[in-house]
Amino acid sequence: QINKIRRKISNPGCAQSVLGRLCQRCESTNHMGLFPRSGFCASENGNHFFTTMEGEACSFQEIVGGKCGFSSKDKEKSVKLIPLLNCTSNIDKHKSALAFTDVQNEVALILARACLFSRPQNIDQLKICPHHRETLGLGWKRSSTRCDVPALLSSHSAKVKNRPRAERGLTKLASQTVLNETGIFVPVGSGEFS
């Protein structure tokens, strides 16, 4: 028996493209919980879940929370988990656009945005879903064009609209320093004013 892990669908509308397909388990087409790749639905008390056939959960759901799912750019809506170490996309354009320099590869970027500033001992066991890879990696966007460094360290106004416009992105080292000094996590690439 395949061990199936249930994960709530991140966007209930995402299953609309598979409506009408017959679920292999319950032989129903009257649901929105059909998992596109497996052919199974997983509804429980009206809540619909993604079921990963690998029998494993995305490591980053436990680390950062949120819901697992597919990348917003993937037309096939695949939710296949991959080992974190297989994340090898070029991040140079992303670093340039956000003006930060001290992260060298996609794995380090994802880890830093998950508040893991040093390489975990179990890194070879970490798996990531396309949604977490996108939101922690190359698909991550700043929440504001203003400086995100907390007022305690920056001497800026507590009101975001009164803060100066960011000139560059927060480095990994600066992100870790902000966390250590204030207890507030500000992700790598967030706005920083000199």
Side-chain angles (χ1 to χ4, degrees), residues 28-116:
S28 170
T29 58
N30 188 22
H31 56 75
M32 289 195 49
L34 185 65
F35 183 68
R37 294 279 182 202
S38 72
F40 295 102
C41 74
S43 84
E44 184 177 282
N45 300 327
N47 296 320
H48 297 280
F49 299 87
F50 277 128
T51 304
T52 61
M53 298 304 287
E54 296 90 359
E56 297 177 88
C58 171
S59 305
F60 289 85
Q61 184 175 33
E62 294 177 25
I63 296 168
V64 299
K67 297 177 182 176
C68 291
F70 51 84
S71 167
S72 64
K73 296 177 183 173
D74 183 9
K75 292 179 183 178
E76 294 182 19
K77 299 182 180 357
S78 171
V79 292
K80 183 179 177 187
L81 301 178
I82 64 166
L84 178 63
L85 293 175
N86 285 6
C87 297
T88 58
S89 296
N90 187 321
I91 65 168
D92 290 341
K93 287 183 182 177
H94 185 71
K95 287 173 28 176
S96 177
L98 296 175
F100 68 96
T101 57
D102 66 343
V103 177
Q104 303 309 314
N105 56 52
E106 188 181 12
V107 171
L109 179 65
I110 291 168
L111 289 172
R113 290 213 176 116
C115 201
L116 299 172

